[in-house]
Structures are given as C-alpha cells and as structure tokens.
Amino acid sequence: AEAFTAFLELREALTRGTVRAAEPDASQPTGWRVNAWVKRGILLGFRIGHLEETGTDLSFVDKHTYPAQRFTASEKVRVVPGGSAVRSGAYLAPGVVCMPPMYVNVGAYVDEGTMVDSHALVGSCAQIGRNVHLSAAAQIGGVLEPVNASPVILEDNVLVGGNCGVYEGTLVRRRAVLGAGVILTRATPVYDIVRGEILRAAEDAPRAPRRRRPRADHHGVRAQASGCHRRGGCGMAAAYLLVAESARSLKPHSDHRPPRQRRELVGLA
C-alpha cells in the first residue's frame, strides 16, 4: 500500500509537469540531467499494476496504474476526436495540439505550443520543447531502461518532418529542422555537406536523409547518414523549404557548394 501511494504521487506530479524524467541543467555536459529515480518509479507502476478493462464502445485492456487521461477545456490542450490517447503520467502544456490518431506515453513532457500531428508517437520519457512541430507519422522513441539512460530530447522550436524517427536518447538542439524521412539514433552520423565533415545535431541545422560515401567509395559502398545542408541564419519555415529543395537539386557529391537558389531561399527568413 505504501509503494502504491508513493507511485500515485509520482504519477500525479508527472501529469502536472512538476516532475520530469529529464530536465535542463547547465552544469551537465549536454545541458540536461536524467532523473533516474523517476524512471524507477514509472517501472514500479508497471510492476504493481494489474490488467483492467476500460472503454465503452471500444474495449481496451491495460495496467490499471496507467489509464488514459481525460482533458478539460480549462487545461487548454486540444485533443481532436479520432483515436488519440495520452497516458496518465505524461504532461501536455497549454497550447499543445494533438491531431488524430496520435499517442503520448507515460513520462513524456510536451511543452507549450507544440503540434503532435497524425500518426505521431511521443515515446515514454521523451522531452519535447516549446513550439515543436512533430509532422505526420513522426516517431519519437521512448527510453525507460536502463534507468540512467538519457531519453530522446527535442529542444525548443524543432521541426520534425513527416515519417522521421528519433530514437535511443538522441538530443536534437533548438531550432533544428529534420527533413522528411530522417532517422536519428545515437549512432547515426550527421554529415555536413557544405563543410564535408561528420558531426552531431547542431543548433539551427536543417538536415535531410542521404547516403554518405565512406572510404570504400570505389566499391560503390555507402552508409546511411543525415545530411546537414546549412547552419545558422535561417528561420524555421525557410529552413524547411531549404531541406525539401535540396533533396531535389543537390549537386554531385564532389561539389559541396550550395546552389544559388538555396542561398536566396534562406534569405526569405
């Protein structure tokens, strides 16, 4: 009974957003601190929960410790009808818009003004910043175990294109743009097409899926990578257009110079 009471207190704090699985911390190398004790509490909820039937017209069976949330207009969270669900223990800030169908799992934190589009997933303990756009079918992976592992983190004003996948505790810095179809994991290289170097997810950096040529180029072997087309100086809308345009008109690999049209496009920001 004591463990169940402690769990309910944690779940309520997670739902209100006063406790987070990870939070900003300037003293940490990444700028984020993982709260392993929160993950342990979430796992405890699964262990002590029992299966329970819910629903009226449709039938669902899940652990009774994690029922689906019900929102009121006073919370200022839009959940459009059509098959969406937000698990208890997840926080959605005022101004969040949920387009059906979508799912937000336990421990997730979704900040103000974020759009979670159709068929998008926000996995367990994922941290989503302000004014993030998760386009249709974007998958933000969950990380519960190991408990000290960092969850997926998207900082403020990130734009995630359709059918993107961000997994394994990847950290995407503020104002980055992921073009449609980009897959990022902790092991995925991000290739700077302009500078010709491999890097990780930098701020203000739009990127699109590409094939990177390794040293075995003369054998025709290529490795999957994400291509970073430009850093800094571009607003989100212009950067998104930049990624879409670059995917259609990139010059051959031997020529890294950005075409004039792309430079003009960035000037629209």
Side-chain angles (χ1 to χ4, degrees):
E2 184 178 349
F4 187 68
T5 300
F7 163 74
L8 290 179
E9 292 177 357
L10 172 62
R11 190 185 72 183
E12 179 62 22
L14 286 168
T15 304
R16 294 196 310 267
T18 56
V19 169
R20 300 174 61 169
E23 56 190 306
D25 185 347
S27 67
Q28 299 297 312
T30 63
W32 288 83
R33 181 180 74 251
V34 178
N35 295 322
W37 66 272
V38 172
K39 290 187 177 184
R40 292 190 185 95
I42 293 173
L43 292 170
L44 173 65
F46 286 107
R47 190 157 57 247
I48 65 179
H50 61 260
L51 293 182
E52 181 179 70
E53 296 178 7
T54 60
T56 52
D57 296 332
L58 297 175
S59 176
F60 304 95
V61 179
D62 197 5
K63 291 296 183 78
H64 83 290
T65 44
Y66 290 114
Q69 289 192 46
R70 297 183 66 88
F71 292 91
T72 63
S74 63
E75 295 173 270
K76 299 181 180 178
V77 175
R78 285 182 57 199
V79 182
V80 179
S84 296
V86 179
R87 221 172 191 173
S88 293
Y91 172 71
L92 270 60
V96 171
V97 179
C98 302
M99 299 300 295
M102 48 68 66
Y103 187 74
V104 180
N105 210 342
V106 59
Y109 185 100
V110 185
D111 216 335
E112 297 177 357
T114 288
M115 161 74 80
V116 185
D117 213 337
S118 300
H119 299 280
L121 165 70
V122 180
S124 53
C125 298
Q127 305 294 297
I128 312 297
R130 291 184 176 88
N131 302 315
V132 172
H133 188 109
L134 301 180
S135 300
Q139 304 290 292
I140 309 302
V143 180
L144 267 178
E145 295 181 290
V147 292
N148 60 342
S150 175
V152 175
I153 299 172
L154 307 184
E155 295 186 341
D156 296 346
N157 300 300
V158 169
L159 193 154
V160 180
N163 288 298
C164 281
V166 186
Y167 308 107
E168 298 177 0
T170 299
L171 170 60
V172 180
R173 296 294 188 184
R174 61 193 181 96
R175 295 197 304 272
V177 177
L178 307 184
V182 166
I183 303 296
L184 288 180
T185 70
R186 295 182 70 90
T188 305
V190 178
Y191 186 65
D192 190 328
I193 295 172
V194 176
R195 301 182 181 180
E197 60 188 23
I198 296 175
L199 47 86
R200 292 301 299 168
E203 292 186 10
D204 303 309
R207 53 186 57 80
R210 284 182 55 80
R211 301 294 260 177
R212 175 174 57 86
R213 293 176 184 245
R215 292 184 182 274
D217 177 53
H218 60 283
H219 294 298
V221 177
R222 297 192 178 193
Q224 185 66 38
S226 292
C228 176
H229 298 281
R230 186 179 177 91
R231 291 198 209 173
C234 53
M236 181 177 290
Y240 185 79
L241 293 174
L242 168 65
V243 172
E245 188 272 341
S246 65
R248 293 192 298 269
S249 62
L250 266 178
K251 292 186 177 182
H253 182 81
S254 59
D255 186 356
H256 299 308
R257 294 171 299 172
R260 180 178 180 182
Q261 183 178 2
R262 285 196 286 159
R263 292 199 299 269
E264 293 174 348
L265 189 60
V266 172
L268 297 176

